[in-house]
Amino acid sequence: MTPLRRPAARRDFEIVVISALPLEAGAVAAFFDHHWGDDSPYGKAPGDRNAYSVGAVGHHNVVLAHMPGIGKASAAAVAADCRASFPNIKLAIVVGVCGAVPNSPNGDEILLGDVIISEGIFQYDFGRQLPERFVPKETLLDSLGRPNSEIRALLAKLKSDRKMLQDKMMSYLTAIQGKQDPDLAADYPGRAHDRLFVAAYHHIGTGTCQECGCNGPVVSRKRLEQDDLRPAIHFGLIASGDTVMKSAKDRNAIAKLKDIIGFEMEGAGVWDSFPCMAVIKGVCDYADSHKAKAWQRKTQIALEYSYWLRKTYTEISVFWVHASNTERFRQAYASIAQECQVPGYDDPKIDTLLLVKKWLEREDCGRWLMVIDNADDTEVFFSQQAEPIITGIPSPDGNLGRYLPECTNGAILVTTRNKQTGLRLTQGKGPIEIRKMDEDESGQLLRTILDEVDFAPEELSMLSSRLEYLPLALVQATAFIQENTTTIGDYLQLIDQSDQNLVDLLSEEFETVGRDSGAPRAVAETWILSFEQIQQQNAFAGEILSLMSLFDRQAIPSKFFPHYRQQQGGDPSGKIQLTKALGVLKAFSFVTEDKAHNLDMHRLVQLVTRKWLINKGTMQRFTGQALLAVSQAYPYGNFENRIVCGAYLPHVYAVLGSEDAGLEDERVARASLFYCVAGFFSYQGRWKDAEEFQLKAVKLRKAVLGDEHPDTLNGIANLASTYRNQGRWKEAEMLQVQVMDIRKQQP
């Protein structure tokens, strides 16, 4: 094959592969025939936030776009920025895993480990929710349409030669199985792990089916009875949405509606930027409530099929290096030397680290991928005093970074919890940050760290849930448990006693592998440092974060913030400023936003933000501003406003729970909230609640506005109405007479 010339600029790239998960992206990069580098060689368009790897596959220059997370929104943002930086992209390939419909429209069985190639994308969660059903939008302007003629022609060609494609798939799979480390293996998990339960049988726990013991009725699958069972390739319509499909009933209904064969979460987001796209996904579940983690390793098989354009294939070796400490790193290199029979490996005087480095840098070594796993300790790779490498002399501890090979025939993928280490190892390339974990992942993390601590499985689940599956918080919790020789149950009792206990525990300093000596040693301190950075970067974002910490933490309406903006003398209609401020908070993953533009924040982040306000001495100021914002946004409760009143009610309770600072404007706002919410309770027939809030409103208004103020009299009149609705006629009459007498005396 004629060597491909290195592209001169970003415009020379015509294919982009978009991957949602780090494992998938690492595998894609590993199969580059040539690796042109990462972001720095070609740069990016202004405002492009993506991280890229660039290389060549066969005769094609390829861009690998790393997504920061799964879902349509993330995919859309990545695709739009990629289009700006690489304007000549002609084909976009979205790779990963998906859930499958058990049978295609033509009756073919789809099994776990099969590969699905899209002939079109159907956005199944976009439409109207009617009382009795959900109706997806299907007009020409609303639908995603079908692929362009070039993609359709290509798909037709692939379908016509499907046997050749499947044969190549098996040869690629065989090569992978023969070379890869067990941690990245693409081995077939076995027929026993491929179980399709009847749609009415639901998953019985939180782990995998094997862990939970799912034993419901299973649907018979003829393909599983074949002696020579091979993965198959299926072409058809893929459903794309923002949620993971975990309902067999809904899966079947949507599949029947549109002849769907698979469900995934990124394709619809990419479509607007790259309608010349194909989605290629490996089947890891049946889009029901049952999950089997073993099949998610099959992701790499799907990636192989995205390279149908490849004319030749060269085997790539994968080396797994455990790097949590110097000794494990040395053991991994020694294992590589022995397994690969590197010349000189059996010489007791040889420096094995230097031997392996130089061997991997040789062109005749072939192409390879090295995974540096758990590279958390900066000192392991970059100690303060670096000594020169002397051939023939065993290397000292530390400074292992200089033993990482640098050449064009290999690539290195680093996993780390320490961003500083990762940035130094990748020479400044932006990391792919993994944020919130799921229950299985957090449980695995806790079991790994607490290997010498006795615990019940349900305790791991409870601890993960209380700390909202945030890795740093979980690591700090395990450090506290270990250092104080306590139990998970005791720790749970501490954090459940009060919010202050939880904040205090989050403020505890702790040590963990890879934490730099100058870095913050507590979760609270780490986040507070980020808060300060946000405040410097965008002052309005810091103010919004402060306000949000004083509302209820879920479904915070973005409509609250224009009221705050107006209080500060700014333009309440300044949507650009608000969008930018919220963008900063979302970039730090402190808040999330739903389709209705309501915002959520982690409970732990909310509590630490309050601690930050106390430390700065601004708690009282923002408590008052939060009260004013909710008061101005909350309408009087009646039939017309019932939906808004109900939605805003949790935030009312949050701001009314703060201490009365005695400021007149805040007391007026507090009285107004009592008055308006009392109206909502009256509409609902909650007379006791309405009475309680009306009494508070009247008391406050009398104190601030006076007995004869119109607002005070309106409150008394409403209280009289509430008494009357409860049959308390004498009390109601007395208040009504009082109001009439005062109004008669007024001019």
Short mmCIF file of all heavy atoms in Angstrom, two decimals, residues 679-712:
data_model
loop_
_atom_site.label_atom_id
_atom_site.label_comp_id
_atom_site.label_asym_id
_atom_site.label_seq_id
_atom_site.Cartn_x
_atom_site.Cartn_y
_atom_site.Cartn_z
N GLY A 679 -53.55 31.30 48.50
CA GLY A 679 -54.55 31.23 47.44
C GLY A 679 -54.51 29.90 46.71
O GLY A 679 -55.56 29.33 46.37
N PHE A 680 -53.29 29.37 46.48
CA PHE A 680 -53.16 28.07 45.81
C PHE A 680 -53.72 26.95 46.68
O PHE A 680 -54.41 26.04 46.20
CB PHE A 680 -51.68 27.81 45.49
CG PHE A 680 -51.41 26.50 44.83
CD1 PHE A 680 -52.01 26.16 43.62
CD2 PHE A 680 -50.54 25.57 45.41
CE1 PHE A 680 -51.76 24.94 43.00
CE2 PHE A 680 -50.28 24.35 44.80
CZ PHE A 680 -50.89 24.04 43.59
N PHE A 681 -53.46 27.02 47.98
CA PHE A 681 -54.00 26.01 48.89
C PHE A 681 -55.53 26.08 48.94
O PHE A 681 -56.22 25.06 49.02
CB PHE A 681 -53.43 26.19 50.29
CG PHE A 681 -51.97 25.81 50.40
CD1 PHE A 681 -51.17 26.38 51.39
CD2 PHE A 681 -51.40 24.90 49.54
CE1 PHE A 681 -49.83 26.03 51.51
CE2 PHE A 681 -50.06 24.55 49.64
CZ PHE A 681 -49.27 25.12 50.63
N SER A 682 -56.07 27.30 48.89
CA SER A 682 -57.53 27.46 48.88
C SER A 682 -58.13 26.84 47.63
O SER A 682 -59.17 26.17 47.68
CB SER A 682 -57.90 28.94 48.95
OG SER A 682 -57.50 29.50 50.19
N TYR A 683 -57.47 27.06 46.49
CA TYR A 683 -57.94 26.46 45.23
C TYR A 683 -57.96 24.93 45.35
O TYR A 683 -58.87 24.26 44.85
CB TYR A 683 -57.04 26.88 44.08
CG TYR A 683 -57.15 25.98 42.87
CD1 TYR A 683 -58.27 26.01 42.05
CD2 TYR A 683 -56.13 25.05 42.58
CE1 TYR A 683 -58.38 25.14 40.97
CE2 TYR A 683 -56.24 24.20 41.51
CZ TYR A 683 -57.37 24.25 40.70
OH TYR A 683 -57.48 23.40 39.64
N GLN A 684 -56.98 24.37 46.06
CA GLN A 684 -56.91 22.92 46.21
C GLN A 684 -57.83 22.40 47.32
O GLN A 684 -57.96 21.18 47.48
CB GLN A 684 -55.47 22.50 46.53
CG GLN A 684 -54.48 22.73 45.40
CD GLN A 684 -53.08 22.25 45.77
OE1 GLN A 684 -52.57 22.55 46.85
NE2 GLN A 684 -52.47 21.49 44.88
N GLY A 685 -58.43 23.30 48.08
CA GLY A 685 -59.29 22.87 49.18
C GLY A 685 -58.51 22.47 50.41
O GLY A 685 -59.05 21.79 51.30
N ARG A 686 -57.29 22.89 50.50
CA ARG A 686 -56.44 22.59 51.67
C ARG A 686 -56.62 23.74 52.68
O ARG A 686 -55.76 24.59 52.86
CB ARG A 686 -54.98 22.42 51.25
CG ARG A 686 -54.76 21.26 50.30
CD ARG A 686 -53.39 21.31 49.62
NE ARG A 686 -52.28 21.37 50.55
CZ ARG A 686 -51.00 21.46 50.17
NH1 ARG A 686 -50.71 21.50 48.87
NH2 ARG A 686 -50.04 21.53 51.07
N TRP A 687 -57.76 23.73 53.36
CA TRP A 687 -58.15 24.89 54.15
C TRP A 687 -57.23 25.14 55.34
O TRP A 687 -56.92 26.30 55.66
CB TRP A 687 -59.60 24.72 54.63
CG TRP A 687 -60.54 24.42 53.51
CD1 TRP A 687 -61.31 23.32 53.35
CD2 TRP A 687 -60.81 25.26 52.38
NE1 TRP A 687 -62.05 23.39 52.19
CE2 TRP A 687 -61.76 24.58 51.57
CE3 TRP A 687 -60.35 26.50 51.94
CZ2 TRP A 687 -62.25 25.10 50.38
CZ3 TRP A 687 -60.83 27.02 50.76
CH2 TRP A 687 -61.76 26.33 49.99
N LYS A 688 -56.76 24.10 55.99
CA LYS A 688 -55.88 24.29 57.14
C LYS A 688 -54.56 24.93 56.72
O LYS A 688 -54.04 25.84 57.38
CB LYS A 688 -55.62 22.95 57.84
CG LYS A 688 -56.81 22.39 58.60
CD LYS A 688 -57.18 23.31 59.77
CE LYS A 688 -58.33 22.73 60.57
NZ LYS A 688 -58.74 23.65 61.67
N ASP A 689 -54.00 24.44 55.59
CA ASP A 689 -52.76 25.02 55.08
C ASP A 689 -52.98 26.46 54.63
O ASP A 689 -52.14 27.34 54.88
CB ASP A 689 -52.22 24.19 53.90
CG ASP A 689 -51.77 22.80 54.33
OD1 ASP A 689 -51.33 22.66 55.48
OD2 ASP A 689 -51.84 21.88 53.50
N ALA A 690 -54.11 26.70 53.98
CA ALA A 690 -54.42 28.05 53.53
C ALA A 690 -54.54 28.99 54.73
O ALA A 690 -54.03 30.12 54.72
CB ALA A 690 -55.71 28.06 52.72
N GLU A 691 -55.21 28.52 55.78
CA GLU A 691 -55.37 29.34 56.98
C GLU A 691 -54.01 29.68 57.60
O GLU A 691 -53.75 30.84 57.98
CB GLU A 691 -56.22 28.59 58.00
CG GLU A 691 -56.40 29.33 59.32
CD GLU A 691 -57.15 28.51 60.35
OE1 GLU A 691 -57.72 27.46 59.99
OE2 GLU A 691 -57.15 28.91 61.53
N GLU A 692 -53.13 28.68 57.69
CA GLU A 692 -51.81 28.91 58.28
C GLU A 692 -51.04 29.98 57.52
O GLU A 692 -50.46 30.90 58.12
CB GLU A 692 -51.02 27.59 58.29
CG GLU A 692 -49.61 27.74 58.83
CD GLU A 692 -48.78 26.47 58.65
OE1 GLU A 692 -49.36 25.43 58.26
OE2 GLU A 692 -47.56 26.54 58.88
N PHE A 693 -51.04 29.90 56.20
CA PHE A 693 -50.28 30.86 55.40
C PHE A 693 -50.94 32.24 55.41
O PHE A 693 -50.25 33.27 55.39
CB PHE A 693 -50.12 30.33 53.97
CG PHE A 693 -48.92 29.43 53.79
CD1 PHE A 693 -48.78 28.27 54.53
CD2 PHE A 693 -47.94 29.74 52.88
CE1 PHE A 693 -47.69 27.45 54.38
CE2 PHE A 693 -46.82 28.93 52.72
CZ PHE A 693 -46.70 27.77 53.48
N GLN A 694 -52.29 32.28 55.43
CA GLN A 694 -52.97 33.58 55.47
C GLN A 694 -52.71 34.30 56.79
O GLN A 694 -52.52 35.52 56.81
CB GLN A 694 -54.47 33.37 55.24
CG GLN A 694 -54.81 33.07 53.78
CD GLN A 694 -56.19 32.47 53.62
OE1 GLN A 694 -56.82 32.05 54.60
NE2 GLN A 694 -56.67 32.41 52.38
N LEU A 695 -52.69 33.55 57.87
CA LEU A 695 -52.38 34.17 59.17
C LEU A 695 -50.99 34.78 59.17
O LEU A 695 -50.77 35.88 59.68
CB LEU A 695 -52.51 33.12 60.29
CG LEU A 695 -53.95 32.73 60.69
CD1 LEU A 695 -53.93 31.51 61.61
CD2 LEU A 695 -54.64 33.91 61.37
N LYS A 696 -50.03 34.06 58.60
CA LYS A 696 -48.66 34.58 58.53
C LYS A 696 -48.57 35.80 57.63
O LYS A 696 -47.84 36.76 57.94
CB LYS A 696 -47.71 33.48 58.04
CG LYS A 696 -47.53 32.34 59.03
CD LYS A 696 -46.60 31.27 58.47
CE LYS A 696 -46.40 30.14 59.49
NZ LYS A 696 -45.52 29.08 58.98
N ALA A 697 -49.32 35.78 56.52
CA ALA A 697 -49.30 36.92 55.61
C ALA A 697 -49.89 38.16 56.28
O ALA A 697 -49.33 39.26 56.19
CB ALA A 697 -50.09 36.58 54.34
N VAL A 698 -51.01 37.98 56.97
CA VAL A 698 -51.66 39.11 57.64
C VAL A 698 -50.76 39.67 58.74
O VAL A 698 -50.61 40.90 58.88
CB VAL A 698 -53.03 38.67 58.22
CG1 VAL A 698 -53.59 39.75 59.13
CG2 VAL A 698 -54.00 38.37 57.09
N LYS A 699 -50.16 38.80 59.52
CA LYS A 699 -49.29 39.25 60.61
C LYS A 699 -48.12 40.07 60.08
O LYS A 699 -47.79 41.14 60.62
CB LYS A 699 -48.79 38.03 61.38
CG LYS A 699 -47.88 38.39 62.56
CD LYS A 699 -47.41 37.13 63.29
CE LYS A 699 -46.49 37.49 64.45
NZ LYS A 699 -46.03 36.27 65.18
N LEU A 700 -47.48 39.59 59.02
CA LEU A 700 -46.34 40.30 58.45
C LEU A 700 -46.76 41.64 57.84
O LEU A 700 -46.09 42.67 58.01
CB LEU A 700 -45.66 39.44 57.38
CG LEU A 700 -44.48 38.57 57.83
CD1 LEU A 700 -43.99 37.71 56.68
CD2 LEU A 700 -43.35 39.45 58.35
N ARG A 701 -47.88 41.63 57.13
CA ARG A 701 -48.32 42.86 56.47
C ARG A 701 -48.74 43.92 57.49
O ARG A 701 -48.52 45.11 57.28
CB ARG A 701 -49.45 42.55 55.49
CG ARG A 701 -48.94 41.89 54.21
CD ARG A 701 -50.03 41.54 53.22
NE ARG A 701 -49.46 41.19 51.92
CZ ARG A 701 -50.16 40.74 50.89
NH1 ARG A 701 -51.48 40.57 51.01
NH2 ARG A 701 -49.57 40.48 49.75
N LYS A 702 -49.34 43.48 58.57
CA LYS A 702 -49.68 44.44 59.63
C LYS A 702 -48.41 45.08 60.20
O LYS A 702 -48.36 46.29 60.45
CB LYS A 702 -50.45 43.75 60.75
CG LYS A 702 -51.92 43.48 60.43
CD LYS A 702 -52.62 42.86 61.64
CE LYS A 702 -54.11 42.68 61.38
NZ LYS A 702 -54.82 42.10 62.56
N ALA A 703 -47.38 44.24 60.39
CA ALA A 703 -46.15 44.75 60.99
C ALA A 703 -45.39 45.67 60.05
O ALA A 703 -44.79 46.66 60.48
CB ALA A 703 -45.26 43.57 61.39
N VAL A 704 -45.42 45.39 58.76
CA VAL A 704 -44.62 46.15 57.80
C VAL A 704 -45.43 47.26 57.13
O VAL A 704 -44.95 48.39 56.99
CB VAL A 704 -44.03 45.20 56.72
CG1 VAL A 704 -43.20 46.00 55.72
CG2 VAL A 704 -43.19 44.11 57.37
N LEU A 705 -46.66 46.94 56.74
CA LEU A 705 -47.45 47.89 55.96
C LEU A 705 -48.49 48.64 56.79
O LEU A 705 -48.95 49.71 56.38
CB LEU A 705 -48.17 47.15 54.81
CG LEU A 705 -47.25 46.35 53.85
CD1 LEU A 705 -48.10 45.60 52.83
CD2 LEU A 705 -46.27 47.29 53.15
N GLY A 706 -48.89 48.07 57.92
CA GLY A 706 -49.90 48.69 58.76
C GLY A 706 -51.24 48.01 58.64
O GLY A 706 -51.54 47.31 57.66
N ASP A 707 -52.11 48.25 59.63
CA ASP A 707 -53.41 47.57 59.68
C ASP A 707 -54.34 47.98 58.55
O ASP A 707 -55.23 47.20 58.16
CB ASP A 707 -54.10 47.86 61.02
CG ASP A 707 -53.37 47.22 62.19
OD1 ASP A 707 -52.47 46.39 61.92
OD2 ASP A 707 -53.69 47.55 63.34
N GLU A 708 -54.18 49.19 58.04
CA GLU A 708 -55.15 49.71 57.08
C GLU A 708 -54.66 49.67 55.63
O GLU A 708 -55.32 50.16 54.73
CB GLU A 708 -55.51 51.15 57.46
CG GLU A 708 -56.14 51.26 58.84
CD GLU A 708 -56.53 52.69 59.17
OE1 GLU A 708 -56.30 53.57 58.32
OE2 GLU A 708 -57.06 52.90 60.27
N HIS A 709 -53.52 49.10 55.40
CA HIS A 709 -52.99 49.00 54.04
C HIS A 709 -53.87 48.07 53.20
O HIS A 709 -54.36 47.04 53.71
CB HIS A 709 -51.55 48.49 54.06
CG HIS A 709 -50.83 48.64 52.75
ND1 HIS A 709 -51.00 47.76 51.71
CD2 HIS A 709 -49.96 49.60 52.31
CE1 HIS A 709 -50.24 48.13 50.68
NE2 HIS A 709 -49.60 49.26 51.03
N PRO A 710 -54.14 48.40 51.95
CA PRO A 710 -55.00 47.55 51.10
C PRO A 710 -54.55 46.09 51.06
O PRO A 710 -55.39 45.18 51.05
CB PRO A 710 -54.89 48.20 49.73
CG PRO A 710 -54.61 49.64 50.03
CD PRO A 710 -53.75 49.64 51.25
N ASP A 711 -53.23 45.86 51.01
CA ASP A 711 -52.75 44.48 50.96
C ASP A 711 -53.07 43.74 52.26
O ASP A 711 -53.41 42.54 52.24
CB ASP A 711 -51.24 44.45 50.72
CG ASP A 711 -50.88 44.85 49.30
OD1 ASP A 711 -51.78 44.89 48.44
OD2 ASP A 711 -49.68 45.13 49.05
N THR A 712 -53.00 44.45 53.37
CA THR A 712 -53.35 43.85 54.66
C THR A 712 -54.83 43.48 54.69
O THR A 712 -55.21 42.38 55.12
CB THR A 712 -53.03 44.80 55.81
OG1 THR A 712 -51.66 45.20 55.75
CG2 THR A 712 -53.30 44.14 57.16
#
